Amino acid sequence: MPSTTPKKRTRASAYWKGFADGAPFLLVVIPFAMLFGVLATEAGLNVLETLSFSAVVFAGAAQFTALQLMQENAPTVIVLASALAVNLRVAMYSASLTPWIGAAPLWQRAIAAYFTVDQSYACSVVQFENEPQMTVPQRMAYFTGVLSPIVPFWYASSILGALVGTQVPDSWALDFALPITFLALVAPMLRTAAHVIAALVAIITSLLTAAVPYSLGLMIAGTLGMMAGAQAEVLLERRKLRHD
């Protein structure tokens, strides 16, 4: 009779499990980062500025948003507000991860806060829910493992894109990386009706507001999507309580 006891995990095995889970994202991280480097060069940034941008912000979607608005000569306030709005999801990621790694030392939490991105969050929250018996050090090791293959290639590919610049032919279609990355991350996380409703409202709103200047339609779509998801969650909980 097979045993149902969870396999005892060590800190090292947690790290390598995270490494294995994070490695497949290189298929989109590399072209995604290269595309950022190319676009940054086209926007007038040099190699050092491009690397600094990636190192300081370390948030692909926000970096692309800021670059696009900079090329449109948008006011600085709009650029900053839009990049911040795109990154507001990270605050929700942090709140979701706090029950799992909130007991880690302050310096570890500070590093985790900087490296909390879509990939590290999506992999970590699924892993922690699947193996709730993991200790905090093991969870931090897993979180670090996910990032280990991603971070160096993000920086290196950004530099490579900046060096290559406009020499990359359009036929390479590197811009496919952005939508594919988010589809790969978001699709598995649509696990409840509230998640689906939030996604649908955001998608429909973003299409209807596509003509709003400075890509502000994305901010509107994100806000309405979160509101719709939260309201759906409340209504579903009330219905569940009535049936119970």
Side-chain angles (χ1 to χ4, degrees), residues 11 23 34 38 42 53 60 73 96 100 130 135 155-156 159 164 169 181 187 190 203-204 211-212 216 219:
R11 192 180 302 186
M34 284 186 63
V38 172
E42 292 179 351
F53 201 159
N73 296 317
S96 178
W100 301 106
N130 289 339
T135 65
Y155 292 147
I159 294 173
V164 173
T181 297
L190 300 179
I203 291 170
I204 294 172
V212 176
L216 293 177
M219 297 174 62

Side-chain angles (χ1 to χ4, degrees), residues 83-180:
L84 178 61
V86 170
N87 258 13
L88 281 178
R89 71 190 188 284
V90 179
M92 294 184 286
Y93 293 171
S94 299
S96 178
L97 288 172
T98 296
W100 301 106
I101 61 176
L106 178 60
W107 68 271
Q108 292 184 4
R109 284 182 281 130
I111 294 174
Y114 172 74
F115 286 113
T116 296
V117 291
D118 299 295
Q119 294 87 349
S120 60
Y121 169 75
C123 290
S124 294
V125 75
V126 171
Q127 174 65 23
F128 300 161
E129 289 177 354
N130 289 339
E131 295 189 24
Q133 75 279 3
M134 291 176 70
T135 65
V136 172
Q138 289 169 357
R139 292 170 188 155
M140 290 303 304
Y142 177 87
F143 186 90
T144 303
V146 173
L147 290 160
S148 292
I150 294 174
V151 173
F153 275 97
W154 173 260
Y155 292 147
S157 299
S158 296
I159 294 173
L160 180 59
L163 290 172
V164 173
T166 55
Q167 297 179 31
V168 176
D170 293 338
S171 60
W172 285 24
L174 292 179
D175 51 352
F176 83 100
L178 182 58
I180 287 181

